Amino acid sequence: EKSPEVASTGEESFAFLQRSTEEAAKALVEAAESGAPTSPSSKVLLGIPEDKEWLSDMDCYIRKQLEVFCASENDVETARSDRKYPVQVGQVGIRCIHCSMSSTELSGTAVAFPFAINGIYEAVREFQRLHLDSCDNVPDETKEKVAAFKGASSLSSVLRKYYILAAKALGLQDTR
């Protein structure tokens, strides 16, 4: 069953669909093959329905603030100018859904390209620690909800293992 997640950027609001894990994996493959810019309805959230069975409410909510995507030529150029490690076209990354819907270029802590699926956990923690509170594109209500969750994180040993399993469920795999 699909349930909409609403994100707003300034005066606009967008509904993102919380897809089943299989549907999300299929949408990610289609996005990678088409290479076309994504619309709100075609975006794939890092958060999946199974999260609620394993993770705290805060961790589930944080994962719903991130989109999984495949790098375009523009993403590669931005990463290069941002002095990030080399990124290749088609490489999977995660980025702030609020920033991805804004007209500003995604850079800095708004986007990450983990080297391997076991790096997704650290990338999400970095996003939470360095980006979420300071991002101008994140609505105040989202920041307030995250602040209300403070201290309600899952055990890190459970998180690390689950993040790898969830990434594999989305069809992500290490290529090196």
Side-chain angles (χ1 to χ4, degrees):
E1 182 175 311
K2 298 176 185 179
S3 60
E5 292 294 328
V6 177
S8 66
T9 57
E11 297 178 12
E12 296 181 82
S13 291
F14 301 95
F16 296 91
L17 293 178
Q18 172 98 42
R19 296 177 170 89
S20 73
T21 308
E22 288 177 1
E23 289 172 331
K26 184 179 176 187
L28 194 56
V29 168
E30 289 171 1
E33 290 173 351
S34 76
T38 56
S39 67
S41 63
S42 66
K43 291 184 179 287
V44 176
L45 297 178
L46 182 62
I48 58 175
E50 294 83 358
D51 287 357
K52 65 183 177 284
E53 296 172 26
W54 296 96
L55 303 177
S56 70
D57 290 345
M58 180 183 78
D59 291 317
C60 291
Y61 193 72
I62 298 296
R63 287 171 57 90
K64 289 178 184 177
Q65 306 310 306
L66 289 160
E67 169 195 4
V68 180
F69 71 102
C70 296
S72 66
E73 286 286 348
N74 189 44
D75 296 319
V76 170
E77 282 304 311
T78 302
R80 186 177 297 128
S81 67
D82 213 15
R83 293 194 173 113
K84 289 194 176 182
Y85 37 85
V87 173
Q88 299 176 3
V89 172
Q91 184 174 340
V92 172
I94 58 174
R95 61 186 170 201
C96 174
I97 59 168
H98 308 285
C99 290
S100 74
M101 296 308 299
S102 77
S103 58
T104 58
E105 188 173 275
L106 278 111
S107 61
T109 57
V111 62
F113 293 95
F115 286 114
I117 57 175
N118 65 4
I120 295 173
Y121 169 79
E122 290 300 332
V124 172
R125 285 290 161 250
E126 184 172 300
F127 166 80
Q128 181 182 359
R129 194 173 62 251
L130 302 176
H131 182 78
L132 204 53
D133 286 339
S134 61
C135 177
D136 292 336
N137 297 311
V138 174
D140 289 339
E141 66 189 49
T142 300
K143 291 179 182 182
E144 290 166 10
K145 192 165 186 175
V146 170
F149 284 135
K150 292 290 184 200
S153 185
S154 309
L155 295 172
S156 66
S157 59
V158 172
L159 276 173
R160 288 179 189 277
K161 290 175 186 170
Y162 178 76
Y163 273 52
I164 292 169
L165 293 173
K168 288 179 179 178
L170 284 171
L172 304 182
Q173 60 184 338
D174 294 332
T175 55
R176 294 182 188 179

